[in-house]
Amino acid sequence: MNLLSLPCYCATLRQAARAVTVLYEDMLAGSGLHATQFTALQLLDSAPNLTTTELAEALGVDQTTATRMLALIKKAGLASDTVGADRRQRRWALSAQGQALQKKLKPRWEAAQEAFEKRLGRAEAAALKKASYRAASRLSSTQTVHP
Amino acid sequence: MNLLSLPCYCATLRQAARAVTVLYEDMLAGSGLHATQFTALQLLDSAPNLTTTELAEALGVDQTTATRMLALIKKAGLASDTVGADRRQRRWALSAQGQALQKKLKPRWEAAQEAFEKRLGRAEAAALKKASYRAASRLSSTQTVHP
DNA sequence: GTACATTATATGTATCTACATGTATTGTCA
DNA sequence: TGACAATACATGTAGATACATATAATGTAC
């Protein structure tokens, strides 16, 4: 049996996310980084000194997920955290090693991006990305408003 | 900081999948089922006697993921497996309890579907689902070495 | 200025996920 | 038929994910 077209929005989006993740993991295989970790490095590279919560919000993950992500990245020596003026906050920055690895893996990530575009077509890929972002935006903004 | 629009197709699709998952988990909260489990029940309800691998392919998950999913569903008494003619295969079917639960939770799932459509608009929701399915199809077919 | 609420992060727990690999069964071919 | 390949499922391991909750620090109201 082949991949089923399911009526469920959730299930279908998850199918797609899983499939694309496998592609990116493939491209990063052996590099020591996972797709989500690479994304975090990219973010820290372009926006240093984010707090844990800020990074979580930017990526659209739970704060506890971000905490664990960052713990792994820190353990690998790719980033370090410093306590901010508000001493509850941790501010994160890439280490030299983290910067180097991010730079080194960028071509692999670009290859994954291109592979994705090749399979879907550039226009369709762009449309899917835009629609996904819109969905994520709409959903996360409203969901956090709980009385 | 708000949700970021990321250049990465993988990261963006994952953002969307996470956000929509939270919505569905919310709707199913307290029911004893998770969104992925409900999807599996729906599938087993409409297509009984699937093998573990067939179910994995239909859902677009790894076989080992399906094995674990089904183990949990079985442990909860919602489905049972029988050994097929090929004695390596397990064929799965909902139990009466599983059928009942699936039926009972269907309105909640429908509410989640409607909530999703309400946030995105029906047309946009449909377009996103279609594009996601196309992406998942293209990616999984090629990855599995297809003609 | 203290009691109480709020906020930032961390931890316990459980599921989802997949890769590498193991085991049992089936298929193939010489 | 017997060796070896292929297949179906299971297990070990590890990261991704989020909820409930804990802890520590900050903010607020009186």
Side-chain angles (χ1 to χ4, degrees):
Chain A
M1 176 179 274
N2 248 353
L3 187 71
L4 263 190
S5 175
L6 302 163
C8 184
Y9 295 115
C10 179
T12 306
L13 268 167
R14 290 178 71 95
Q15 280 180 339
R18 282 190 297 261
V20 69
T21 299
V22 168
L23 192 162
Y24 281 69
E25 291 284 354
D26 244 42
M27 291 291 187
L28 294 174
S31 72
L33 276 193
H34 291 276
T36 56
Q37 298 174 333
F38 181 75
T39 301
L41 288 208
Q42 271 188 320
L43 178 55
L44 289 179
D45 189 54
S46 65
N49 292 317
L50 291 181
T51 67
T52 304
T53 298
E54 284 167 348
L55 184 135
E57 286 173 356
L59 296 179
V61 302
D62 193 84
Q63 166 264 310
T64 62
T65 302
T67 294
R68 263 127 179 166
M69 253 185 208
L70 288 165
L72 284 171
I73 289 171
K74 181 180 181 178
K75 200 175 92 180
L78 303 172
S80 60
D81 57 323
T82 52
V83 175
D86 180 335
R87 290 196 336 240
R88 294 169 300 180
Q89 294 180 331
R90 299 289 122 88
R91 298 204 166 268
W92 292 88
L94 290 188
S95 66
Q97 194 189 337
Q99 282 186 349
L101 186 57
Q102 191 268 331
K103 198 157 287 181
K104 182 185 155 201
L105 296 182
K106 201 178 171 197
R108 294 212 211 174
W109 170 74
E110 283 165 347
Q113 295 278 97
E114 282 158 22
F116 183 81
E117 288 172 349
K118 192 169 178 186
R119 299 257 173 83
L120 286 204
R122 215 174 262 264
E124 204 169 321
L128 177 54
K129 179 153 78 83
K130 183 166 266 183
S132 295
Y133 175 67
R134 283 169 65 85
S137 282
R138 302 272 180 91
L139 294 174
S140 18
S141 59
T142 327
Q143 258 156 196
T144 13
V145 188
H146 257 288
Chain B
M1 177 179 275
N2 249 354
L3 186 71
L4 262 192
S5 176
L6 302 162
C8 184
Y9 295 115
C10 179
T12 305
L13 268 167
R14 290 179 70 96
Q15 279 181 339
R18 281 190 298 259
V20 68
T21 298
V22 168
L23 193 163
Y24 281 70
E25 291 284 353
D26 243 42
M27 291 291 188
L28 294 174
S31 71
L33 277 191
H34 289 277
T36 57
Q37 300 174 330
F38 181 76
T39 300
L41 289 207
Q42 271 188 321
L43 179 54
L44 289 179
D45 189 54
S46 65
N49 293 316
L50 291 181
T51 66
T52 304
T53 299
E54 284 167 347
L55 184 136
E57 286 173 356
L59 296 179
V61 303
D62 193 84
Q63 167 263 310
T64 62
T65 301
T67 293
R68 262 123 181 171
M69 251 186 211
L70 288 166
L72 284 171
I73 289 172
K74 180 181 180 177
K75 200 174 94 179
L78 304 172
S80 60
D81 57 324
T82 52
V83 175
D86 181 336
R87 292 198 331 245
R88 293 169 300 182
Q89 293 180 333
R90 300 290 124 90
R91 296 203 168 270
W92 292 88
L94 290 189
S95 66
Q97 195 187 337
Q99 283 187 350
L101 187 57
Q102 191 267 330
K103 198 157 287 181
K104 181 184 156 201
L105 296 182
K106 200 178 171 198
R108 294 212 211 173
W109 170 73
E110 283 165 348
Q113 295 278 98
E114 281 158 22
F116 183 81
E117 288 172 349
K118 192 168 178 185
R119 299 259 172 81
L120 285 204
R122 216 174 260 265
E124 203 169 323
L128 177 54
K129 179 154 79 80
K130 182 166 263 182
S132 296
Y133 175 67
R134 283 169 65 84
S137 282
R138 303 274 179 90
L139 294 174
S140 15
S141 60
T142 325
Q143 262 154 195
T144 357
V145 187
H146 222 253

